Amino acid sequence: MSHIAWMQEGKLERAHVGGKGASLSDLIAGGFPVPEGFCVTADGYRYFVSSSGIESQIEKLLADADLSSPATAREAAERVSELVASAPLPDDLRQEISQAYEKLVEKTGFAVAVRSSAISEDGASSSFAGLYETYLNVRGVDHVLESVGRCYASLWSERAVRYRANRTSNDMDEAMAVVIMGLVPSDTSGIAFTAHPVTGDRNQVVINSSWGLGEAIVSGRVTPDCFVVNKDTLAIVEREIYPKEIAVFSDPAGGGTIEQDLSPAQARAPSLTDEEACAVAGMAAKVEVHYGLPQDIEWGMHAGTLYLLQARPITTLG
């Protein structure tokens, strides 16, 4: 049985490729500008756990732990995460991933993003945003395989285990798919909400943007520019430009990312033109129409081309 599913070959099921993989494949099918990629399926993770002989050990550790206790949950999560991180991927699964990666490189280029995609992630009732790992500018088969293993281990981080426990989900039913997609070397990137996250106004798109990759925003290393756009007219109704002293870019010397200091002029300059902000808002509004629910999207822009990198329901609106 193949453990690889290509996102551009049709809409994929959440139970098969996780929340992120299902959403991205759906967006590709809907004609949105999502980079090409493939998923290592949730069954690939299950095969890894069973073939490596750690499934029963994980089950026992979780059964013996009181996950409502922070200290006990932390200890159980650390032990399970160590088990998963130290177990080798099966040879045939390694070969499947390697062949798919080489095929993707032929289509899109050398560097990829490797992104966790748990089956319960990015649903309408809970998003799991930021709980699982993503690796950017991954280059070469060995580093891709290593990143897949780290995504598997992130399923068992303390935060993830406690988050799932608070939602009374059965941890042994959870599984991790992994999205491997072409990396957008963004000049500017950010987040867009199709409803105001503070006021709840559903006629506004709120955009946060900064130079480089979105990691600078997600990690809180910069205060991003903020644009508020009327969803119907695509007119900018608010604009706040902040100093953005650093940016995160792909490391040109190898894998991973680097942080660069920006000149005072670039730091103070808007990271989006008004026209670009309206383009982001327009795409975000179309994503909301596609799903019929307010959305939290991630986007990147390279050489004037806008890419959609993720979309999930906003779960905090009343």
Side-chain angles (χ1 to χ4, degrees), residues 262-287:
L262 300 179
S263 69
Q266 186 175 11
R268 290 175 171 77
S271 51
L272 288 174
T273 65
D274 287 359
E275 182 181 11
E276 289 169 340
C278 291
V280 173
M283 180 176 70
K286 290 177 182 177
V287 173

Side-chain angles (χ1 to χ4, degrees), residues 212-236:
L213 301 172
E215 188 177 343
I217 296 176
V218 173
S219 65
R221 280 178 275 181
V222 299
T223 300
D225 296 336
C226 181
F227 299 83
V228 181
V229 183
N230 182 284
K231 194 183 294 181
D232 293 329
T233 65
L234 296 184
I236 295 176

Side-chain angles (χ1 to χ4, degrees), residues 236-287:
I236 295 176
V237 296
E238 292 181 36
R239 180 193 299 100
E240 294 183 77
I241 308 303
Y242 295 95
K244 304 165 290 295
E245 288 86 359
I246 64 100
V248 175
F249 296 102
S250 297
D251 187 347
T257 59
I258 55 172
E259 183 178 298
Q260 291 184 355
D261 294 329
L262 300 179
S263 69
Q266 186 175 11
R268 290 175 171 77
S271 51
L272 288 174
T273 65
D274 287 359
E275 182 181 11
E276 289 169 340
C278 291
V280 173
M283 180 176 70
K286 290 177 182 177
V287 173

Side-chain angles (χ1 to χ4, degrees), residues 2-33:
S2 174
H3 299 110
I4 301 297
W6 288 89
M7 295 192 299
Q8 59 271 22
E9 292 183 355
K11 293 170 62 174
L12 303 174
E13 296 297 324
R14 172 186 297 272
H16 193 44
V17 297
K20 192 177 283 94
S23 175
L24 290 170
S25 69
D26 185 35
L27 291 166
I28 290 173
F32 290 95

Side-chain angles (χ1 to χ4, degrees), residues 124-190:
S125 60
S126 58
S127 73
F128 290 75
L131 286 184
Y132 304 125
E133 293 296 336
T134 288
Y135 299 94
L136 303 177
N137 193 31
V138 181
R139 304 177 181 222
V141 167
D142 289 343
H143 289 129
V144 168
L145 293 169
E146 179 183 359
S147 298
V148 170
R150 289 179 175 179
C151 288
Y152 286 169
S154 76
L155 185 66
W156 303 103
S157 71
E158 178 192 353
R159 287 181 62 215
V161 168
R162 292 184 63 188
Y163 187 90
R164 293 194 298 267
N166 288 336
R167 279 152 181 77
T168 65
S169 57
N170 185 341
D171 262 325
M172 291 309 294
D173 291 338
E174 184 61 282
M176 180 66 78
V178 180
V179 172
I180 300 175
M181 59 194 294
L183 179 73
V184 177
S186 301
D187 307 309
T188 302
S189 58

